[in-house]
Amino acid sequence: MKLVVRVKLLPDEATEAALRETLRLCNRAANHASRRAFDTGITGKTPLQRLVYGDLKGMGLSAQPAIHVARKVAGAYATLKANLKAGNYGREGSKRRAAAESRPIRFRRDAAQPFDDRCLSWQTDARTVSIWTPRGRSGRIPFEASADQMKTLTEHRRGESDLVHRGGNWYLYATCEVPEADPIEPEGFLGVDLGIANIATTSDGTVHAGKHLNQVRHRNRRLRQRLQTKGTKSAKRLLRKLSGREARFAADTNHRISKQIVTEAERTSRGIALEDLGGIRERVRLRKPQRVTLHTWSFAQLGAYIAYKALRAGVPVVCVDPRYTSQGCSACGHTDKKNRPAQAIFCCMSCGFAEHADVNAARNIAARGVAGWAVSHAADDAA
């Protein structure tokens, strides 16, 4: 499986200027290649490379960086095509879709740039790296990394590394190919109910509350509204500073929750059962004040974090049908809307079983995970 290890570079003043010049040149070249691709309709990796290679070399790029710029542009157009096909830019004829289709893709002047081992070399023992720049090879640039990161870099680094400038700091994102653990034979499943009031609730009764995360989101939303209304230079400067902070906070929260869930499943030799929530934003109809909360709910990210951490640990993950998991009784199976009179309360109208609503839902999810696993393995055995 592929993992990305991020290390922080510690360049001196001269090296930092060279790195900044590198990104600006590469992205100026990428914008040129993007215009040629848009004008000619040539967006495939190899044909686009043939089309623009000479131009990129003439702009000051060496051979390998020029190839990577062309591939970056081709990849951006492939992503755009996939998003258009999936309807992520709206329906045919919508303004947003028309805007995306009517102009070439633009790259920020400090957008990330990939490098391979021909134009970037790691010295892991010395914790330094050297990178191609328009001024020639940089000297050995020190970088910071934890012991676990160094172990992963030394043993599993493969492929490209991306040079990233963010928040005034320089980073390298290195791709690593980490072997998957041998999957265990699960002795049951740990059900996980994903929600907004509570980010995740397990069938064991562990509740990961979302109150603090939602408070941070509400505070940031109010602050953004005030700054956007003000519209001054200082307000815009603060908006840029705040950009991404909420996303990083949510990602950190999801990382910690997913690690706890996978660790518990691994400790108890169980698999993990998750709800298949694909398309929920299109299916659910909410009042206007609730829509922002739904659309900032990062359930897909949490599910992805659980899935890749479980893969590393050899813990099976199954996705189950989420319908009626919150209305069905985990004790007797009776399903009724009246079973859940409030957000956090579940009381079965048939057998009288009472439990926290999210814990009850997680137990239903766990039971469906066991059933789904049994059916899939019975089909495999028959084949």
Side-chain angles (χ1 to χ4, degrees):
M1 61 179 295
K2 286 187 177 181
L3 288 180
V4 174
V5 173
R6 186 187 74 172
V7 300
K8 183 178 180 180
L9 301 180
L10 304 171
D12 57 27
E13 188 174 340
T15 305
E16 185 173 2
L19 294 179
R20 187 174 288 107
E21 184 180 344
T22 301
L23 285 190
R24 289 179 178 176
L25 174 60
C26 288
N27 287 300
R28 188 166 66 250
N31 284 324
H32 172 77
S34 178
R35 288 191 295 270
R36 293 292 307 276
F38 181 80
D39 292 340
T40 61
I42 298 174
T43 58
K45 286 184 179 180
T46 303
L48 181 60
Q49 179 182 320
R50 291 171 180 162
L51 176 68
V52 302
Y53 180 77
D55 295 345
L56 302 186
K57 288 275 288 181
M59 296 178 72
L61 293 176
S62 296
Q64 205 63 19
I67 291 172
H68 280 293
V69 165
R71 289 177 178 175
K72 180 170 80 169
V73 174
Y77 276 97
T79 301
L80 173 63
K81 184 177 179 181
N83 283 328
L84 291 171
K85 185 176 180 180
N88 295 336
Y89 286 96
R91 300 175 182 176
E92 289 279 356
S94 67
K95 289 184 178 180
R96 187 181 177 204
R97 187 185 182 103
E101 293 176 316
S102 64
R103 56 176 179 256
I105 293 174
R106 292 282 302 169
F107 295 87
R108 303 186 323 273
R109 63 178 182 173
D110 60 346
Q113 176 63 28
F115 293 98
D116 62 15
D117 287 349
R118 296 183 182 181
C119 42
L120 182 150
S121 58
W122 294 81
Q123 300 86 38
T124 52
D125 291 340
R127 295 200 179 196
T128 60
V129 64
S130 63
I131 306 173
W132 174 90
T133 74
R135 305 178 186 181
R137 277 275 180 164
S138 69
R140 294 192 171 191
I141 307 171
F143 65 83
E144 292 179 341
S146 68
D148 287 342
Q149 287 177 318
M150 289 304 303
K151 185 175 185 295
T152 304
L153 280 173
T154 303
E155 297 178 359
H156 305 298
R157 189 185 63 80
R158 301 287 186 278
E160 297 177 350
S161 302
D162 290 354
L163 178 63
V164 177
H165 186 224
R166 191 183 72 194
N169 296 315
W170 293 90
Y171 302 93
L172 277 176
Y173 288 63
T175 304
C176 298
E177 291 278 358
V178 179
E180 299 176 10
D182 294 331
I184 64 170
E185 186 63 32
E187 301 174 4
F189 275 80
L190 179 67
V192 181
D193 177 62
L194 305 179
I196 297 175
N198 296 312
I199 301 174
T201 305
T202 71
S203 52
D204 288 346
T206 302
V207 178
H208 300 277
K211 183 178 180 180
H212 181 49
L213 177 59
N214 290 329
Q215 286 175 340
V216 170
R217 284 177 168 155
H218 291 321
R219 184 174 68 246
N220 288 341
R221 186 160 64 248
R222 290 193 298 269
L223 178 57
R224 283 196 299 270
Q225 288 172 346
R226 290 200 302 270
L227 292 173
Q228 288 167 354
T229 301
K230 196 170 185 181
T232 61
K233 287 186 178 180
S234 60
K236 292 177 181 177
R237 187 163 56 246
L238 183 54
L239 279 170
R240 286 194 297 270
K241 184 178 179 181
L242 293 174
S243 66
R245 181 179 293 179
E246 180 182 319
R248 291 193 295 275
F249 175 75
D252 178 68
T253 301
N254 285 335
H255 268 301
R256 288 186 283 107
I257 292 173
S258 60
K259 184 176 181 179
Q260 292 178 38
I261 290 172
V262 172
T263 300
E264 179 62 19
E266 183 181 17
R267 185 185 68 81
T268 55
S269 299
R270 287 181 291 176
I272 298 174
L274 298 172
E275 299 169 283
D276 182 1
L277 296 176
I280 190 171
R281 290 190 173 95
E282 290 73 28
R283 295 195 305 270
V284 174
R285 294 292 180 265
L286 295 173
R287 292 178 297 169
K288 191 171 183 179
Q290 297 174 307
R291 292 174 194 166
V292 173
T293 302
L294 175 67
H295 287 280
T296 55
W297 179 28
S298 55
F299 66 89
Q301 185 185 69
L302 177 57
Y305 287 173
I306 291 173
Y308 96 78
K309 286 178 169 62
L311 190 62
R312 290 195 70 184
V315 175
V317 175
V318 297
C319 292
V320 304
D321 188 346
R323 288 178 292 182
Y324 307 115
T325 54
S326 63
Q327 299 175 14
C329 177
S330 60
C332 72
H334 176 69
T335 301
D336 194 321
K337 284 185 179 180
K338 296 179 181 178
N339 286 350
R340 191 171 181 179
Q343 190 277 326
I345 300 173
F346 181 91
C347 184
C348 181
M349 303 296 292
S350 176
C351 69
F353 172 76
E355 180 57 276
H356 188 287
D358 292 341
V359 174
N360 177 75
R363 290 176 180 172
N364 286 328
I365 293 166
R368 293 186 184 187
V370 172
W373 181 264
V375 169
S376 64
H377 277 62
D380 291 342
D381 293 341

